[in-house]
Amino acid sequence: MMNTSTKIAIFGVGLIGGSLALCFKGKPNLTVVGYSHRSDVLERIKARDVVDYATLSIEEAAQDADFIFLCVPVGALEYYLKKLSSLKLKPGCIISDVGSTKSSIAACANTLTMTEAHFIGGHPMAGSERSGVEAATSLLFENAYYVLTPSKNATEEAYAKLEGLLQHTRSHIIRVQPQLHDEIVGAISHLPHIIAVALVNQVRGYHQKNDLYRLLAAGGFRDITRIASSDPVVWRDILLNNREVLLDLLADWTEEVQQFRDLLNRQDGDGIEAAFKRAGEFRSELPERRKGAIQPLFDLYIDVPDHPGIIGQITTELGAHQVNLSNIQIIESREDVPGLMRLSFRNEQEMERAKAPLQALGYMVYV
Ligand code: NAP
């Protein structure tokens, strides 16, 4: 009997690769194979049960595959794409990647002769600060934008096939030119990561002269610089890969900073107000809480009195309403003032469902 199953190979089964695998595994006529370069990772992939089978062999993973997703760090993408172009792939095989930058991999694909295969770059714009297969979830891409950047050799038929398969991720597929993708993502994600790291390191420098900096930086400063704690290796690769775009963006950023210096030098209060107003207006037009290049927070804050058993009461109540809490933190709690508790949720629905039970217990709930 002829085997009609569609074979999907995932190279690099970490957070993103593992999450894609979970979207496909168990669906009718789909078989998912995971490739890893290390045997200990292979064991973790098997333990997490995200693929139908896992292998250390590139050839075995690629052989007869209908789709190949490269989900390795940006710096390793070209190696695998070149390697695949030298193998005998199944005619019509569609190769895609999930890298956070798109121009360089698109340029690489355009130089390769892939007579039988199509390369269509991809970037699912959802993620997390966590990494590894243990953090994978089939819900990761739900409602997120998933950018596709077809290369010269990709046919419309191949694009439609990939788009069809990616329906399993329940994301919104959007077609964007690679260079435009890198410019936009550079501005809304890569530049903010640089600024967050620079800001934290600036304050770290002050802190080395005075301990009070770290103490008082709890709360708001910690929140707005959350992305400074992202994986250094992943971000090294992304920033170097998008270097040209980022150098232009940093020139614009320097210009923005200079404008603030001028406003302060001139003691121009109206100018400062106008800058805040312009920013506030544009910010209020941004879509709310959709998943994006930077993972949004789904946090609620409640005032809590400092007395024993409060955490137990809240977690029991949320548990009774089957609301999944992903983190809980007391931001400040002293005997004389109520503490502020932060409750974190994995998604917006869970966060919304938590509000009513907390209010019914008499808590003031803030978003
Ligand atoms: P991850 O959780 O660390 O997963 C990467 C996987 O690739 C790991 O299993 C890793 O194994 C493996 N790997 C690393 N170097 C390799 C190599 N040379 N050959 C084969 N496998 C290798 O990282 P991730 O967050 O899923 O990121 C993967 C890709 O997704 C990156 O290109 C990133 O730009 C992109 N992306 C990330 C996000 C995000 O928020 N995280 C969002 C969108 C796109 P080891 O444990 O052995 O290193």
Side-chain angles (χ1 to χ4, degrees):
M1 207 173 82
M2 213 173 79
N3 181 9
T4 54
S5 180
T6 297
K7 176 175 170 182
I8 302 166
I10 310 269
F11 280 55
V13 189
L15 168 73
I16 301 290
S19 299
L20 272 181
L22 282 172
C23 291
F24 303 139
K25 186 167 177 269
K27 299 284 166 14
N29 297 324
L30 298 185
T31 304
V32 188
V33 52
Y35 160 79
S36 173
H37 64 151
R38 289 196 345 219
S39 52
D40 57 324
V41 181
L42 202 73
E43 292 313 314
R44 283 164 50 203
I45 297 168
K46 287 181 183 164
R48 184 70 174 75
D49 198 23
V50 296
V51 293
D52 292 304
Y53 69 97
T55 173
L56 290 169
S57 158
I58 296 179
E59 289 77 9
E60 188 188 354
Q63 191 181 20
D64 291 329
D66 297 275
F67 295 91
I68 300 176
F69 288 92
L70 302 179
C71 304
V72 296
V74 165
L77 287 172
E78 288 195 14
Y79 167 79
Y80 283 102
L81 189 57
K82 286 180 180 157
K83 176 84 189 161
L84 288 175
S85 74
S86 71
L87 299 181
K88 175 132 188 53
L89 299 174
K90 183 172 179 176
C93 170
I94 296 168
I95 306 172
S96 189
D97 76 311
V98 296
S100 306
T101 58
K102 297 275 56 87
S103 296
S104 62
I105 193 73
C108 172
N110 288 339
T111 63
L112 299 173
T113 344
M114 288 191 284
T115 44
E116 304 280 25
H118 308 265
F119 178 76
I120 302 173
H123 179 199
M125 294 187 56
S128 109
E129 276 84 57
R130 298 176 67 204
S131 59
V133 70
E134 291 74 16
T137 155
S138 64
L139 301 176
L140 188 68
F141 312 112
E142 202 167 64
N143 293 325
Y145 282 111
Y146 196 125
V147 173
L148 289 182
T149 60
S151 71
K152 283 193 305 204
N153 84 338
T155 60
E156 282 303 316
E157 192 194 345
Y159 184 88
K161 270 192 193 162
L162 180 60
E163 197 178 30
L165 180 76
L166 289 174
Q167 298 306 315
H168 290 296
T169 63
R170 300 208 260 164
S171 58
H172 303 284
I173 311 290
I174 175 169
R175 188 191 296 225
V176 183
Q177 288 300 315
Q179 178 65 21
L180 181 61
H181 166 277
D182 288 359
E183 285 168 14
I184 295 173
V185 176
I188 61 164
S189 168
H190 306 171
L191 180 65
H193 276 79
I194 293 177
I195 294 169
V197 168
L199 193 56
V200 173
N201 284 335
Q202 184 176 344
V203 171
R204 182 175 180 268
Y206 302 144
H207 161 75
Q208 278 162 352
K209 293 181 199 119
N210 188 329
D211 263 4
L212 263 182
Y213 279 91
R214 191 170 62 190
L215 205 66
L216 300 182
F221 182 79
R222 203 166 183 277
D223 290 346
I224 64 158
T225 55
R226 171 175 58 109
I227 53 178
S229 300
S230 301
D231 186 83
V233 174
V234 168
W235 279 91
R236 175 200 66 195
D237 280 6
I238 293 174
L239 299 190
L240 288 175
N241 205 276
N242 206 17
R243 178 174 164 276
E244 298 295 333
V245 166
L246 285 171
L247 286 171
D248 285 346
L249 289 170
L250 281 168
D252 291 346
W253 174 251
T254 310
E255 176 66 26
E256 291 286 336
V257 171
Q258 186 54 46
Q259 282 176 23
F260 261 101
R261 290 178 65 106
D262 293 344
L263 292 172
L264 291 173
N265 275 328
R266 291 200 305 271
Q267 301 192 35
D268 182 351
D270 290 344
I272 294 172
E273 260 185 56
F276 270 82
K277 274 193 191 136
R278 276 199 307 279
E281 278 163 18
F282 181 65
R283 197 172 169 277
S284 68
E285 291 164 11
L286 300 179
E288 283 279 337
R289 298 207 165 271
R290 183 180 277 286
K291 290 178 184 177
I294 297 175
Q295 182 70 358
L297 292 171
F298 300 109
D299 287 351
L300 291 180
Y301 293 84
I302 54 177
D303 286 331
V304 286
D306 179 31
H307 66 68
I310 208 84
I311 295 185
Q313 183 199 34
I314 287 168
T315 51
T316 306
E317 188 65 10
L318 292 180
H321 287 81
Q322 289 172 354
V323 177
N324 278 320
L325 191 59
S326 69
N327 204 353
I328 189 162
Q329 184 192 11
I330 309 254
I331 291 178
E332 185 186 1
S333 185
R334 297 204 321 258
E335 271 177 31
D336 49 339
V337 289
L340 188 63
M341 186 181 282
R342 173 167 47 205
L343 304 166
S344 305
F345 303 87
R346 284 208 198 292
N347 56 50
E348 189 175 3
Q349 292 90 317
E350 295 290 324
M351 185 188 80
E352 290 299 330
R353 289 202 307 117
K355 281 183 188 166
L358 293 171
Q359 281 159 344
L361 285 178
Y363 292 112
M364 286 285 287
V365 180
Y366 320 89
V367 175

